Amino acid sequence: MKLTFLRVESAEQITELARLAAEIWREYYVSIITMEQIDYMIGKFQSTQAIEDQIHHQGYEYYLIQQDDSAVGYMSVRQEEEKLFLSKFYIAKEYRGRGYASKAMVFLVQVCQDRNLSYIGLTVNRHNESSIAVYEKKGFRIVREQIADIGNGYVMDDYVMEKRIESRVT
């Protein structure tokens, strides 16, 4: 079993990613936010059109996390000055607990080192205790709280977390 990180570029890959995102979000977030907010956020941030716009106009890179030829999750990042912003990071339910998050973190650290970036930043829902615990285990720390209005009467109530990246020894 080989885990790969496939950069999403084609329309077919974007469609597959949007399908996977909708499946994961509806399964995972229902215990944290309402289904109405989940559906709104999928449409606004993870629909085919939204992903295409993020890739082509907002500087985001999406990666399908694949085990052999099966998509098991995905990530989205955007380089911002000296940091890599981890916008999305999701593993499908049936693949959680298999070390994929650790392998993905190694991949992200490698990206940072290749680009000479100092840290990885992310936002995570303040009530998403399991993800916060995983991020803390991977070396992230909470640096502040943030509430962002995303429209339609919804907000994202998040922690901002960061992980310092050591420069590669040459």
Side-chain angles (χ1 to χ4, degrees):
M1 287 189 286
K2 182 173 176 169
L3 199 66
T4 56
F5 303 92
L6 176 66
R7 185 153 176 182
V8 173
E9 298 175 323
S10 72
E12 294 80 17
Q13 292 169 330
I14 291 171
T15 299
E16 166 69 4
L17 191 131
R19 183 205 58 75
L20 181 63
E23 177 185 306
I24 292 172
W25 280 46
R26 287 190 176 105
E27 173 271 321
Y28 187 81
Y29 281 109
V30 72
S31 65
I32 300 172
I33 58 177
T34 67
M35 190 57 76
E36 291 78 15
Q37 183 171 351
I38 293 167
D39 289 340
Y40 173 77
M41 291 178 72
I42 290 170
K44 185 169 177 77
F45 301 116
Q46 295 293 263
S47 66
T48 301
Q49 183 178 359
I51 294 167
E52 285 175 350
D53 183 63
Q54 290 166 32
I55 291 172
H56 298 301
H57 303 291
Q58 298 179 38
Y60 286 90
E61 303 165 39
Y62 274 86
Y63 295 90
L64 279 170
I65 303 169
Q66 295 187 307
Q67 174 193 307
D68 300 321
D69 289 327
S70 299
V72 301
Y74 71 99
M75 298 182 295
S76 171
V77 297
R78 182 172 69 185
Q79 187 171 327
E80 299 175 346
E81 298 177 16
E82 65 182 35
K83 79 173 175 181
L84 191 68
F85 175 63
L86 178 57
S87 175
K88 316 276 185 305
F89 182 27
Y90 299 99
I91 305 290
K93 182 178 183 174
E94 62 270 28
Y95 297 101
R96 292 181 199 138
R98 297 186 186 186
Y100 295 160
S102 294
K103 290 178 179 161
M105 203 53 60
V106 169
F107 172 79
L108 292 172
V109 167
Q110 181 73 48
V111 168
C112 287
Q113 290 174 332
D114 290 348
R115 297 178 187 186
N116 201 29
L117 302 175
S118 301
Y119 60 97
I120 301 171
L122 60 85
T123 57
V124 59
N125 185 293
R126 290 182 351 161
H127 304 289
N128 190 347
E129 295 171 3
S130 61
S131 291
I132 293 166
V134 168
Y135 289 131
E136 288 177 335
K137 185 176 177 184
K138 303 298 177 204
F140 285 82
R141 63 184 179 83
I142 296 170
V143 294
R144 69 179 184 278
E145 297 176 9
Q146 170 179 291
I147 297 176
D149 184 337
I150 58 170
N152 214 38
Y154 299 118
V155 298
M156 291 194 301
D157 186 8
D158 294 333
Y159 287 128
V160 176
M161 300 183 80
E162 292 179 354
K163 174 184 174 75
R164 188 105 184 110
I165 303 300
E166 298 299 321
S167 297
R168 183 181 303 137
V169 177
T170 54

